[in-house]
Amino acid sequence: MKVHVNLSLCQGHARCEEICPEVFATDTVEGKCLILKDIVPDDLLEKARLVVRNCPEGALRLSRDKGAAAEGETA
Amino acid sequence: MTLLFQPPRPDHVPADRIVDFDFFHIPPGMTDPAEIWHDLRRSDVPRIFYTPRNGGHWVFLDYADIVEGYRNHEIFSTYQTPIPPIEPFPVMQPQGVDPPDHNVFRRLLAPMFTPTAVRGMVEELEKRAKALIGGFADKGECDFIQDFAARYPTGTFLYLFGLSEDRLGEFLDLAGTFFRSTDPAARAQNVVDIYAVLESLFREKERNPGNDIASAIVTARDADGNQHPWQDILNCGFLLFVAGLDTVTNTMAYIWRYLATTPAARRHFRDRLDDPDAFLRAIEELMRINAVSNLFRRVTHDCTFRGVALRKNDRVILPNTVANRDPTVFENPDMIDLDRKVNTHVTFGVGPHRCVGSHLAKREVMVSLAEWLRRIPDFELVPDSGETRAFGGSVMGFESLKLRWDV
């Protein structure tokens, strides 16, 4: 599974980094979400799903699509 | 005084949306000030209503509307919002500035308060928590507010600003007047005093910059390589002073009050001192249940929101504690589930002005609780401590919280 962040929605709550630091970090310029591993390893999938559901801005999503991220998003 | 942002007479408010509600008034005998909000939530008042109290303002009660109030800065401004109106009110940087201009100071502060940046402060936070708790642990009792919850975040502010702990008394006095005084003359003088302290502090840091946030703010350069406007620097200092003190104090007071009366919750945390994920989940749940802030917005132009006519300069209150118990978002919203897995609470707000210090605030609470439970594993409220008075307003809380334990 691939994880996407919509940075125009992200406000830097960093709940993602708190819950799953293996996949998510916070950038040091704007304090917004930084994805470390866009393809989520199977053993972290459950955690990544929790992260998506806990994002207060709904800025994250998981997709099966391993291709390019949708418009307006960076992976 | 003529108010620049005088709200109009509410002739645009239909009679069936008017409710008599004073968010400062806690009825005698009510021990939890948030109950005035939960009584509203459980009543059949309109989910968007107007009260003539405190200068007149709207109240939103649905999670979706509260969140929209935070996100939609084109309608809901953070500029000049106090309820009741106080003008001129210091324009806190970046809190009192609407996007996109707020982004200048937001980008300056955000990297200093990321989870990683805050992890770098943990050792200092632990040391200070240990020292404070060590000062009264052997006495078997304390006034949690006076002896810990008010002192601790004020000490954190001194640390962030590279100031000596010797100045704690001075800053506690400034903060005490700012948050608790009801005397308008004292309040006006207090703001002047806080700005005078910030002025000399930033001038000193400009001459001798250190490895602290005040130095980072005063030495930062804008896109053209210039120092930020001096007034904005002071306004940013003012925000950091007022935003991280009373909120943390009263969040802690709520949490310790709950733990003092709930042995199973104390055990839950004690059993998870070495399980940071579970400890964080439980703290997140107590943050949801004990949201102390009721934040203000001001309407930027005449418009219709969810079918309700709003007028330019109408004030709105967004009560976080109400949003956090919305049954359409939270399963069993009134139940405290320390293992709640999905918890999109709005205790730190959402949208462009989401609390930039949330990770520091959470870390202060987590470090304090862990150190406390290691030293004082069981504690209770002092029975009949009587006049433990609760207060409402923008930040809700308690004037004192007497705790006791066996030594």
Side-chain angles (χ1 to χ4, degrees):
Chain A
M1 296 288 275
K2 191 175 164 89
V3 64
H4 309 266
V5 58
N6 182 336
L7 286 175
S8 65
L9 295 179
C10 175
Q11 302 290 351
H13 294 252
R15 295 280 297 277
C16 49
E17 181 189 335
E18 281 185 307
I19 296 170
C20 187
E22 300 90 338
V23 174
F24 302 92
T26 306
D27 82 62
T28 54
V29 178
E30 294 206 54
K32 289 195 178 193
C33 175
L34 184 69
I35 290 177
L36 302 174
K37 293 179 181 147
D38 60 342
I39 306 296
V40 181
D42 286 350
D43 58 329
L44 292 173
L45 207 49
E46 198 188 329
K47 257 187 164 183
R49 286 203 173 99
L50 263 186
V51 165
V52 170
R53 295 178 69 197
N54 272 290
C55 175
E57 307 290 349
L60 294 166
R61 66 181 181 84
L62 279 164
S63 75
R64 276 179 220 290
D65 177 13
K66 292 188 179 180
E71 200 177 326
E73 296 178 340
T74 61
Chain B
M1 188 173 66
T2 307
L3 293 172
L4 293 170
F5 300 98
Q6 177 69 55
R9 291 174 55 82
D11 56 2
H12 60 302
V13 181
D16 61 0
R17 288 205 183 262
I18 294 183
V19 175
D20 182 10
F21 174 69
D22 179 351
F23 78 119
F24 285 98
H25 179 67
I26 309 302
M30 187 178 272
T31 53
D32 176 356
E35 279 305 308
I36 62 167
W37 292 102
H38 297 299
D39 284 347
L40 268 183
R41 174 175 64 92
R42 289 183 287 251
S43 74
D44 57 3
V45 302
R47 312 309 285 176
I48 295 178
F49 74 80
Y50 187 94
T51 170
R53 300 275 180 172
N54 296 301
H57 62 87
W58 294 97
V59 172
F60 292 177
L61 294 176
D62 281 345
Y63 183 95
D65 296 343
I66 290 168
V67 161
E68 186 64 10
Y70 282 123
R71 289 200 179 127
N72 190 340
H73 60 87
E74 283 169 13
I75 300 179
F76 303 105
S77 171
T78 57
Y79 180 62
Q80 301 288 336
T81 59
I83 302 174
I86 304 169
E87 291 174 14
F89 192 76
V91 181
M92 288 186 265
Q93 270 287 7
Q95 191 275 339
V97 181
D98 292 320
D101 292 346
H102 89 302
N103 217 23
V104 176
F105 273 78
R106 182 84 198 186
R107 283 186 67 158
L108 179 52
L109 294 182
M112 299 194 267
F113 291 99
T114 62
T116 307
V118 169
R119 265 195 294 277
M121 307 175 191
V122 163
E123 209 173 297
E124 170 71 21
L125 293 176
E126 286 174 347
K127 190 183 84 186
R128 290 189 20 255
K130 264 195 194 104
L132 269 186
I133 296 163
F136 53 69
D138 290 337
K139 292 184 189 154
E141 61 176 11
C142 75
D143 180 340
F144 181 70
I145 310 274
Q146 199 180 312
D147 297 331
F148 190 84
R151 303 180 84 81
Y152 190 70
T154 306
T156 301
F157 175 83
L158 294 176
Y159 161 67
L160 291 181
F161 272 60
L163 296 171
S164 150
E165 191 92 8
D166 302 347
R167 298 184 69 179
L168 188 63
E170 175 196 346
F171 280 81
L172 282 170
D173 286 347
L174 285 173
T177 305
F178 185 82
F179 293 116
R180 293 290 88 80
S181 171
T182 52
D183 172 4
R187 289 178 60 90
Q189 183 57 45
N190 173 250
V191 172
V192 172
D193 293 344
I194 293 171
Y195 271 84
V197 167
L198 291 170
E199 170 76 29
S200 75
L201 160 66
F202 279 119
R203 288 292 178 210
E204 166 60 20
K205 294 293 170 186
E206 193 179 29
R207 282 188 298 270
N208 299 305
N211 182 26
D212 56 70
I213 281 176
S215 298
I217 293 167
V218 81
T219 59
R221 291 293 175 261
D222 67 14
D224 300 322
N226 300 316
Q227 188 181 47
H228 293 287
W230 190 255
Q231 190 60 44
D232 286 345
I233 291 173
L234 295 178
N235 290 343
C236 185
F238 187 73
L239 168 76
L240 293 173
F241 182 72
V242 304
L245 302 187
D246 212 29
T247 47
V248 175
T249 300
N250 289 298
T251 301
M252 283 184 173
Y254 260 105
I255 290 176
W256 264 252
R257 177 176 170 272
Y258 164 70
L259 293 173
T261 53
T262 319
R266 292 198 296 273
R267 202 175 319 117
H268 184 96
F269 279 101
R270 280 202 309 267
D271 290 348
R272 286 159 184 81
L273 286 170
D274 298 314
D275 182 349
D277 288 349
F279 202 88
L280 174 66
R281 263 203 305 281
I283 288 288
E284 213 71 81
E285 175 69 343
L286 294 186
M287 289 280 169
R288 178 182 76 87
I289 284 292
N290 301 303
V292 296
S293 302
N294 303 300
L295 295 191
F296 308 148
R297 291 294 188 265
R298 189 175 51 82
V299 174
T300 56
H301 60 281
D302 291 7
C303 60
T304 301
F305 176 73
R306 311 279 202 239
V308 179
L310 303 178
R311 284 270 173 86
K312 183 174 179 172
N313 295 331
D314 278 0
R315 261 65 169 193
V316 182
I317 295 192
L318 310 173
N320 293 337
T321 190
V322 172
N324 286 350
R325 299 198 198 182
D326 191 315
T328 64
V329 179
F330 301 96
E331 221 172 287
N332 300 318
D334 288 314
M335 198 182 89
I336 299 178
D337 171 6
L338 296 175
D339 264 323
R340 193 178 287 270
K341 300 280 194 302
V342 177
N343 203 337
T344 51
H345 66 74
V346 298
T347 298
F348 296 107
V350 291
H353 287 291
R354 177 196 76 80
C355 172
V356 78
S358 68
H359 300 289
L360 177 57
K362 269 194 261 183
R363 193 54 67 180
E364 286 184 279
V365 174
M366 286 192 281
V367 162
S368 298
L369 184 56
E371 295 300 334
W372 181 284
L373 290 174
R374 287 190 178 105
R375 190 76 196 263
I376 306 170
D378 274 307
F379 53 101
E380 60 186 7
L381 298 179
V382 173
D384 295 317
S385 54
E387 74 286 7
T388 299
R389 288 203 299 150
F391 53 82
S394 181
V395 176
M396 306 178 287
F398 311 93
E399 284 176 6
S400 82
L401 184 70
K402 299 229 167 74
L403 301 178
R404 65 157 305 282
W405 53 92
D406 294 334
V407 287

